[in-house]
Amino acid sequence: MAPETAQLEGLLRGALAGAALESPQVEVLERVDSTNARLLDSAAKDAGPRVCLAREQLAGRGRRGRAWVTPSDAGLALSLSWPVAAGQRVPAAYPVGVGIGVIRALEALGVQGPGLKWPNDVVVGAAKLGGILVEQRLPRSDRPGRLVVGIGLNRCGSGALALDREVTDLAALCGGQGPGWLELAAAVAAWQMRLHSLLMAQGLAALGDDLDRLDALAGSRIQVPDSGLSGVARGVCLDSGRLRVEDETGVLHYLDAGEVSIRRPGHA
């Protein structure tokens, strides 16, 4: 483990002071294939929450198996995990709640204008700032289940990522000097630690006001390339986390997952 492990532990203790939460096991690594995979493969007897932060991630994954590579110091590659008992249900809307927690942390650090583009992107305007990947390992007789939340954020140098969409980073949004790496990790992890029990018990029920103000798609004309559906985004269901889309005839469709793009003026 990297020497920053003790520093991150201290920052998390300070951020969670007074909260009745179990302290997570923390590890900071110089490099790793995937922070999510490391926590999914955690020891069979590891029954508590864990936090894994890597300075460089070589084989991270986004949705649909896309690569999410984090060059050294250019991004945040952070994963958290909690045990999941046999029969315990993770609410379908849990990943949307994770996005709200990420944005709350960014706002507390002074980042202006972040929003949540369903289902898992953190955006500022049309530009992607980061992404979320929630995975679950089912329990077996010889090991507990694990719920793993992976969070990637661009800290700087997003222009060099050569992605097929508009991107941004925290340095660009904060006048060239974004939050420090450990400060950012502690803020994001602390918000996830605070929200986890609430999301497991209530889903998005207690976060409706945040969802309304942070929903980057609400009221936009959108397209869903997977299905050919087009229409107007009418918000995210609090109980299921599904996206409501009203088509051209006024019929509501409910999306469980899928790629969504905003229809620009002048496009059919």
Side-chain angles (χ1 to χ4, degrees), residues 7 29 34 41 77 98 136 185 204 233 264:
Q7 293 175 258
L29 307 171
S34 162
D41 295 337
V98 172
Q136 187 174 352
L204 291 174
R264 302 301 178 192

Side-chain angles (χ1 to χ4, degrees), residues 77-89:
L78 174 71
S79 292
L80 301 93
S81 75
W82 293 267
V84 178
Q88 187 177 17
R89 187 181 70 88

Side-chain angles (χ1 to χ4, degrees), residues 37-61:
R38 185 173 180 87
L39 295 190
L40 281 170
D41 295 337
S42 60
K45 294 182 179 179
D46 180 11
R50 294 187 63 183
V51 173
C52 180
L53 172 68
R55 189 176 295 279
E56 182 178 9
Q57 181 172 243
L58 304 175
R61 291 165 290 125

Side-chain angles (χ1 to χ4, degrees), residues 106-186:
L106 292 173
E107 290 176 331
L109 291 170
V111 180
Q112 301 293 315
L116 182 64
K117 178 178 177 288
W118 185 93
N120 72 327
D121 283 352
V122 178
V123 297
V124 177
K128 180 172 179 175
L129 175 62
I132 295 157
L133 180 64
V134 177
E135 300 182 280
Q136 187 174 352
R137 186 186 72 184
L138 296 177
R140 298 190 320 206
S141 59
D142 61 337
R143 69 181 189 193
R146 302 292 300 184
L147 174 67
V148 177
V149 171
I151 298 163
L153 293 169
N154 301 325
R155 292 185 60 239
C156 61
S158 59
L161 295 175
L163 300 179
D164 59 355
R165 58 165 299 171
E166 187 177 350
V167 295
T168 189
D169 56 59
L170 292 171
L173 295 170
C174 298
Q177 184 63 51
W181 181 55
L182 291 178
E183 177 191 12
L184 176 63

